Amino acid sequence: MSAGGAPLAVRMRPRSLDEVRGQGSVLRPGSPLRRLIEGSGGAAGPLSAIIWGPPGTGKTTLAHLVATAADRRFVELSAVTAGVKDVRSVMESAVRERDLYGRQTVLFLDEIHRFTKAQQDALLPGVENRTVILVAATTENPSFSVIAPLLSRSVLITLGSLSDEDIRDVVRSALVDERGFAGAHLIDDDAMDHLVRTSGGDARRALTSLEAAAGVALDAEPAGRTDDTPVLIGLAHVEQAIAHAAVRYDRTGDQHYDVASALIKSMRGSDVDAALHYLARMLEAGEDPRFIARRIVIAASEDVGMADPTALQTAVAALHAVAQIGMPEARIILAQAVVHNALAPKSNAAYAAINAAIADVRAGRGGAVPAHLRGSGYAGAERLGHGDGYVYAHDEPDAVARQQYLPDDLEGSTAYYLPTDRGFEERLRARLEWLHERLGKGKRPQS
């Protein structure tokens, strides 16, 4: 442990590019960020950078490396507490640093999306004249949260969440590194898996949880312990440290499909509480929310269908919203879609209808398209009789034209869509019966 009791996440901050986990695409040789860190800005000089990414992916670390790797002066401001006066003060001191000592100043501005337009405007002269190298971090889309003039004067660098293996590497390093636990702790596989799963690709969260779990493990040791044997961090210690029970769920194994199946069947069975339970299990286990959203969209058509057509609208909206927002807020959107699906009246009539139609096609049923329905917009079609006798529906009363639509071998004997008497389909059922009579087909079979 370092003097002053700095948090583990701070102590383990990478000191060089070699220690940075993940982000290989933005740190490849010759990339703008790597050149900035290495101090090779090119003929035009070093560019400012806006780093966009989820929490705990290395934005602050990379800003520190931009300053330290090229022996620059580093100044850090937080947009939560800083104002225009603070920005101007940094600019003035940067001029003195440059003129007196020939050193560049790196201004790291955390959470730049919290700056107002006027506050961001105050940065422009310093960035334009390269009085400072601005490295601004944000978790919000810069296209919406950073003013255009500042964006155009900076290179945009997008970071992604760390992979599970990246997080494992971060945790392993903290266990053995002198800045971390220096071998004083070990962690078992279940505890590691849970730590990785609950970190959500956030290295800072993983290290904070590890530090708390190590404290719990030490507290559980016998009083007056003098043994130098490493203290084992187990699953129970991690659960207690982060108040987050391990979810028995394997995203690549049977549990993945079992819990997803239970979610679908609970919505189909109209048990909203069970559906929400399985949704929660999937989310807490780190399941991809986009996978869940896709399953809800399918269920909205397969199990609700035309009994409540708005269920599909809700599900599709959730699919798009989840892709844009991500966790943890995505849980709210998914919950709304699950509740809608679970409480909606149910019908699989549309699902059964397409299956029946496909079965007929695969069985070879369905002859030639009736001549009057065939395309007539090309040379020679009239000679072939295509379109001859076709009745334009909009010219008929109620816009329903009495003519044959199915091939001859299916006409009069086929009814694929059999609506239920539930929800909106009760109205569709009555209309379908009327249409059947109007088309001259007699009484339509019922479900």
Side-chain angles (χ1 to χ4, degrees):
M1 302 282 285
S2 65
L8 180 63
V10 173
R11 304 199 308 271
M12 290 302 300
R13 178 167 288 148
R15 297 164 296 187
S16 67
L17 282 173
D18 293 337
E19 294 183 358
V20 175
R21 299 298 193 283
Q23 316 309 342
S25 60
V26 299
L27 289 173
R28 66 188 184 282
S31 67
L33 181 56
R34 192 174 190 107
R35 290 173 62 82
L36 181 58
I37 291 173
E38 293 173 345
S40 51
L47 294 171
S48 290
I50 295 173
I51 305 178
W52 171 33
T57 52
K59 297 185 293 295
T60 305
T61 291
L62 293 172
H64 276 279
L65 291 178
V66 169
T68 57
D71 193 29
R72 299 169 176 132
R73 175 171 170 261
F74 185 81
V75 178
E76 183 172 358
L77 293 179
S78 171
V80 177
T81 56
V84 172
K85 182 179 178 181
D86 301 293
V87 171
R88 288 175 178 161
S89 175
V90 171
M91 298 300 176
E92 292 169 1
S93 64
V95 171
R96 290 194 300 270
E97 193 75 17
R98 180 195 62 197
D99 294 345
L100 293 176
Y101 307 108
R103 292 177 68 196
Q104 289 180 315
T105 296
V106 173
L107 169 58
F108 175 59
L109 181 59
D110 199 14
E111 299 192 80
I112 190 174
H113 56 272
R114 294 180 181 269
F115 255 18
T116 64
K117 180 181 182 297
Q119 290 171 317
Q120 292 186 33
D121 280 336
L123 294 165
L124 284 175
V127 173
E128 179 87 54
N129 301 324
R130 290 203 172 94
T131 303
V132 296
I133 300 170
L134 173 67
V135 180
T138 178
T139 56
E140 304 286 336
N141 189 331
S143 298
F144 304 109
S145 58
V146 178
I147 60 174
L150 200 53
L151 273 176
S152 68
R153 290 164 173 80
S154 309
V155 59
L156 176 60
I157 295 160
T158 304
L159 305 184
S161 296
L162 300 186
S163 69
D164 287 356
E165 194 53 42
D166 290 333
I167 296 294
R168 289 179 194 277
D169 285 345
V170 168
V171 172
R172 292 187 193 110
S173 294
L175 290 169
V176 300
D177 196 289
E178 290 298 324
R179 294 172 295 161
F181 293 121
H185 287 277
L186 299 174
I187 187 168
D188 68 24
D189 291 342
D190 287 343
M192 174 70 90
D193 290 343
H194 188 45
L195 200 62
V196 169
R197 190 163 51 240
T198 55
S199 72
D202 183 332
R204 186 188 305 111
R205 183 189 300 175
L207 290 173
T208 300
S209 300
L210 176 65
E211 188 171 25
V216 173
L218 277 175
D219 289 344
E221 289 292 299
R225 177 180 182 272
T226 58
D227 189 359
D228 289 336
T229 304
V231 176
L232 180 66
I233 300 172
L235 177 60
H237 302 134
V238 176
E239 288 179 326
Q240 184 177 343
I242 59 180
H244 206 300
V247 180
R248 311 302 174 187
Y249 182 93
D250 178 3
R251 281 182 288 169
T252 60
D254 291 342
Q255 283 281 315
H256 168 81
Y257 298 104
D258 289 347
V259 179
S261 175
L263 169 65
I264 299 303
K265 290 172 181 173
S266 297
M267 289 191 295
R268 179 183 299 148
S270 300
D271 190 328
V272 67
D273 298 313
L276 288 169
H277 170 79
Y278 293 117
L279 172 64
R281 279 174 67 167
M282 296 174 81
L283 292 174
E284 286 297 284
E287 181 61 81
D288 185 347
R290 295 169 299 180
F291 166 80
I292 302 172
R294 290 193 294 269
R295 303 308 304 171
I296 296 171
V297 170
I298 295 168
S301 266
E302 179 179 344
D303 295 320
V304 177
M306 292 304 294
D308 181 359
T310 64
L312 182 58
Q313 297 173 13
T314 299
V316 171
L319 178 68
H320 290 295
V322 164
Q324 295 298 318
I325 294 173
M327 290 294 288
E329 290 83 0
R331 76 191 190 285
I332 308 166
I333 298 158
L334 291 171
Q336 179 179 345
V338 163
V339 168
H340 192 153
N341 257 15
L343 298 184
K346 302 299 189 295
S347 170
N348 70 344
Y351 169 67
I354 187 59
N355 286 347
I358 288 173
D360 270 357
V361 170
R362 289 177 177 173
R365 299 191 66 198
V369 174
H372 59 282
L373 297 185
R374 297 181 192 178
S376 57
Y378 58 92
E382 185 176 355
R383 178 174 53 82
L384 295 171
H386 291 185
D388 187 29
Y390 172 66
V391 181
Y392 186 55
H394 293 287
D395 291 339
E396 298 298 296
D398 301 310
V400 178
R402 179 176 290 200
Q403 60 190 336
Q404 180 179 332
Y405 293 94
L406 279 167
D408 290 342
D409 61 331
L410 297 177
E411 178 66 17
S413 62
T414 303
Y416 294 129
Y417 180 53
L418 302 173
T420 68
D421 56 1
R422 297 184 290 275
F424 183 67
E425 275 197 331
E426 184 176 15
R427 294 167 59 183
L428 291 181
R429 183 172 181 167
R431 176 167 175 77
L432 191 54
E433 290 172 1
W434 176 83
L435 285 170
H436 214 69
E437 295 280 353
R438 184 75 176 77
L439 290 169
K441 296 188 176 189
K443 190 168 180 62
R444 183 178 171 84
Q446 300 295 311
S447 56

